[in-house]
């Protein structure tokens, strides 16, 4: 009879397994070096982030042992910084892998909500003055308001439109547009296009590209490689420089444009989930794009706080196949020729 009673209890779901809570260490009490190595920020910046994100991440719950805001933040930062498995991140923070998976989308959205504060393109003259001055100090190239390039973030093969995400290197990716200033601060990030999308198409269909084409900036230009079309607001290098002035122009252009390559290398070096060292993002494109945007916001926060990180070499190597040159633009040619004459 006892066995029958036990079976009846099981059938009626009367026996419930007791919830087991892992011990949560005081991670914020660890040394600055330890926090930087695992979460990329010192304690004071982490506490500021908890304060800023707290109103969004604190939730009412009928359960005990709700996951504190700082554990939600640290578990997400731990994944972004290392690209390691969620189970390992959860073990350090004292929560389960399903808990890490459940809380990460909310933390990403909360970080992305800070983007208007941390990622701003300089459309107004007062914003542009310091950027132009810093770029000019590199190689005397005038009136640069940003250096532009794209980078591929590897993702797993998506369930829909898989072919569109295959880039020219043959792997699935999101093609991310980056514009930065001379101090490697990100001025614009576009993370929504499949890896098979051409860099110039992304710029043409971005808010920055549209506004610059409409004349939002009267005296300034981006600098990009030969994959971009020459425009009055976008300076590219000469394909076959002949005179000393043209060669000097190309050298100054290359030195100035290298900032965006360094910015991309620093972004991926700080947040290894975006680099080949962290492997492929095992998420569908929509979530992968949120991860990219959150890392971009955190990248700028780290630079503004002066948090050091030794710059690694840029993870991406140049695409092996040649890129067709875009058509020339008469107004762009005239603008570029005026710059060349200054050298």
């Amino acid at each position: 009879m006892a066995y029958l009673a036990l079976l009846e209890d099981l059938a009626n779901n009367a026996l419930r397994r007791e919830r087991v809570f892992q011990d949560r260490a005081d991670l914020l009490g660890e040394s600055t070096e330890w926090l930087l190595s695992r979460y990329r920020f010192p304690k004071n910046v982490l506490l500021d982030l908890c304060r800023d994100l707290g109103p969004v991440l604190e939730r009412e719950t009928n359960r005990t042992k709700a996951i504190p805001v700082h554990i939600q933040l640290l578990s997400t930062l731990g994944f972004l910084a290392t690209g390691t498995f969620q189970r390992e991140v959860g073990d350090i923070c004292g929560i389960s892998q399903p808990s890490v998976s459940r809380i990460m989308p909310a933390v990403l959205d909360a970080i992305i909500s800070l983007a208007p504060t941390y990622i701003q393109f300089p459309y107004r003259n007062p914003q542009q003055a310091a950027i132009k001055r810093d770029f000019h100090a590199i190689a005397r190239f005038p009136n640069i308001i940003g250096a532009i390039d794209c980078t591929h973030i590897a993702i797993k093969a998506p369930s829909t439109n898989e072919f569109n995400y295959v880039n020219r290197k043959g792997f699935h990716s999101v093609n991310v547009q980056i514009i930065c200033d001379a101090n490697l601060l990100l001025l614009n990030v576009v993370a929504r296009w499949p890896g098979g999308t051409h860099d110039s198409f992304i710029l043409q269909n971005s808010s920055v590209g549209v506004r610059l084409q409409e004349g939002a900036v009267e005296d300034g230009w981006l600098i990009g490689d030969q994959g971009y079309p020459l425009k009055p607001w976008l300076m590219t290098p000469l394909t076959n420089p002949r005179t000393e002035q043209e060669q000097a122009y190309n050298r100054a252009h290359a030195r100035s444009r290298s900032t965006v390559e360094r910015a991309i290398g620093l972004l991926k070096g700080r947040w290894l989930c975006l680099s080949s060292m962290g492997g492929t993002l095992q998420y569908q494109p929509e979530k992968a794009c949120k991860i990219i945007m959150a890392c971009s916001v955190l990248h700028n926060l780290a630079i503004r706080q002066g948090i050091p990180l030794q710059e690694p070499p840029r993870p991406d190597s140049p695409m092996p196949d040649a890129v067709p040159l875009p058509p020339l633009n008469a107004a762009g040619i005239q603008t570029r020729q005026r710059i060349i004459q200054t050298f």
Side-chain angles (χ1 to χ4, degrees), residues 1-15:
M1 292 298 293
Y3 289 112
L4 292 176
L6 176 61
L7 290 175
E8 184 178 358
D9 287 340
L10 289 173
N12 294 328
N13 202 25
L15 293 180

Side-chain angles (χ1 to χ4, degrees), residues 50 64 109 242 309:
C50 289
T64 59
D109 286 339
R242 293 183 175 86
L309 179 72

